[in-house]
Amino acid sequence: MTLRILYASTMLFVAGTMGAAFAQEDATVAFLMPDQASTRYEQHDYPGFKAEMERLCPKCTVVYQNANADVALQQQQFNSVIAQGAKVVVLDPVDSAAAASLVTAAQSQGVKVIAYDRPIPDKPADYYVSFDNEGIGKAIAESLVQHMKKSGVPEGAGVLQINGSPTDAAAGLIRDGIHKGLEGSGYKTLAEFDTPDWAPPKAQEWTAGQITRFGADIKGVVAANDGTGGGAIAAFKAAGVNPVPPVTGNDATIAALQLIISGDQYNTISKPSEIVAAAAANVAVKLLRGETPEPKTTLYDTPSELFVPAVVTAENIKAEIFDKGIQTPEEICTGEYVEGCKKLGIIQ
């Protein structure tokens, strides 16, 4: 974890996004995350945010809550942190539409809101920090298309598309990017699914039904994140499909990196969440000082900063993940993955 936080801080420093002065305010800042279906929030986002807040504003208090995919619970948590005196709320919404009323309520009380990871289209927050979600969808789809063409999969062949949660505006951006990435590829989308709550078991169940329906006509799967991609892979394995058709992902989770090493997953997206978390902390501190953070772009009428991540496959996993210190061989190259790591030059 130390390597990841140092990596994030270094990247932000080089990009010039950190404030030079330390915030002296004795303020409360809330960091509200949406669910536990992905391990990233506890393992990456919150530690990265907390570390940067401690660096920039040692006197600040950081309150962390996770809504566990419950819209009502997130609203309670939001109201609670404002009652505790939070001056800035970093909000990754369970439901992007429902979050609009939270932004309105906060701003009416002079509380600043930073939309995080998932945008809030219906009500401009004070700032939005995320990776470029539409770019992510386009990149993973284009990467899959290039791989299928290189592998000799003929035009007219079919793919499945597994999107994220229908209540998540970021999932909608990823979905739109996937559509762009597949457009003009010559491949047809056999079926498409919006995964409730991003839940891998639901993605697995849906994929199992499509395997029964389409069988060997499925030549690839564009999955919006590693959890849904992992669910799809599990469905193919349970159905006895060997080899599993190429499946995409996003988040570079440990499980996904191991699946890439074993050859079961084709790609993922390396986006060390600490980078975005540290950027959100930087924006929060500027807001506490009464400053107006400079936008790098605008999305949904909200000043924004969107980071561009890297696509990871077996070909560049060593350079993008291990050489950059995002993960270590000790974490990934265990048990059945040792031989794959040797084959890819990750370990000797």
Side-chain angles (χ1 to χ4, degrees):
M1 183 55 67
T2 301
L3 282 171
R4 299 189 191 100
I5 293 171
L6 286 173
Y7 173 75
S9 297
T10 301
M11 289 291 288
L12 284 165
F13 179 79
V14 171
T17 59
M18 294 181 181
F22 286 77
Q24 300 301 318
E25 296 83 354
D26 183 9
T28 297
V29 176
F31 193 71
L32 305 185
M33 296 296 100
D35 61 61
Q36 297 180 15
S38 173
T39 58
R40 56 171 282 196
Y41 302 114
E42 272 72 28
Q43 294 182 2
H44 303 294
D45 297 79
Y46 173 55
F49 182 78
K50 184 180 180 183
E52 196 65 12
M53 284 299 302
E54 289 175 349
R55 196 188 77 81
L56 293 173
C57 186
K59 295 181 180 180
C60 285
T61 299
V62 176
V63 178
Y64 171 67
Q65 299 282 349
N66 189 302
N68 200 23
D70 187 326
V71 176
L73 177 58
Q74 186 165 69
Q75 182 168 350
Q76 292 172 14
Q77 292 171 343
F78 193 92
N79 293 339
S80 174
V81 296
I82 290 180
Q84 293 175 53
K87 299 301 182 186
V88 176
V89 178
V90 180
L91 176 65
D92 194 340
V94 174
D95 185 317
S96 296
S101 64
L102 301 182
V103 176
T104 299
Q107 292 176 342
S108 71
Q109 300 175 63
V111 176
K112 303 293 186 180
V113 178
I114 301 170
Y116 182 85
D117 190 40
R118 304 175 181 181
I120 304 172
D122 296 336
K123 174 65 178 177
D126 294 281
Y127 208 89
Y128 174 51
V129 180
S130 181
F131 287 98
D132 181 352
N133 287 297
E134 186 170 319
I136 286 171
K138 188 170 185 285
I140 59 176
E142 287 180 339
S143 171
L144 178 71
V145 167
Q146 291 167 8
H147 174 68
M148 290 172 64
K149 289 183 181 296
K150 187 176 180 181
S151 301
V153 178
E155 288 195 6
V159 299
L160 300 178
Q161 180 172 339
I162 306 177
N163 304 318
S165 170
T167 64
D168 176 359
L173 291 171
I174 294 172
R175 176 202 63 215
D176 294 346
I178 291 172
H179 288 160
K180 290 181 179 179
L182 292 176
E183 186 178 4
S185 68
Y187 299 125
K188 62 182 179 181
T189 302
L190 299 172
E192 184 174 345
F193 179 63
D194 293 337
T195 310
D197 302 326
W198 289 93
K202 294 176 182 177
Q204 180 176 346
E205 180 182 2
W206 180 80
T207 304
Q210 305 317 302
I211 293 169
T212 301
R213 181 181 176 189
F214 296 109
D217 290 340
I218 304 170
K219 300 300 183 183
V221 179
V222 190
N225 78 341
D226 291 336
T228 55
I233 292 167
F236 283 110
K237 287 183 171 293
V241 177
N242 186 25
V244 173
V247 178
T248 73
N250 163 32
D251 287 337
T253 63
I254 289 175
L257 296 173
Q258 290 176 328
L259 286 171
I260 289 173
I261 289 167
S262 68
D264 290 318
Q265 182 168 324
Y266 176 63
N267 72 21
T268 187
I269 290 285
S270 174
K271 50 178 192 181
S273 299
E274 293 88 350
I275 293 176
V276 177
N282 183 60
V283 171
V285 169
K286 287 182 177 178
L287 291 171
L288 289 174
R289 294 188 188 127
E291 300 175 11
T292 301
E294 179 186 351
K296 306 299 188 292
T297 186
T298 301
L299 187 67
Y300 296 121
D301 297 323
T302 304
S304 306
E305 182 170 14
L306 305 178
F307 291 85
V308 179
V311 178
V312 175
T313 67
E315 293 181 358
N316 68 348
I317 191 170
K318 180 178 182 296
E320 288 292 340
I321 300 298
F322 298 98
D323 292 352
K324 291 182 178 180
I326 295 171
Q327 295 285 2
T328 66
E330 290 75 17
E331 290 176 293
I332 306 297
C333 301
T334 60
E336 63 187 283
Y337 304 104
V338 170
E339 287 304 313
C341 284
K342 289 181 178 178
K343 188 179 298 184
L344 296 174
I346 298 167
I347 59 175
Q348 300 301 315

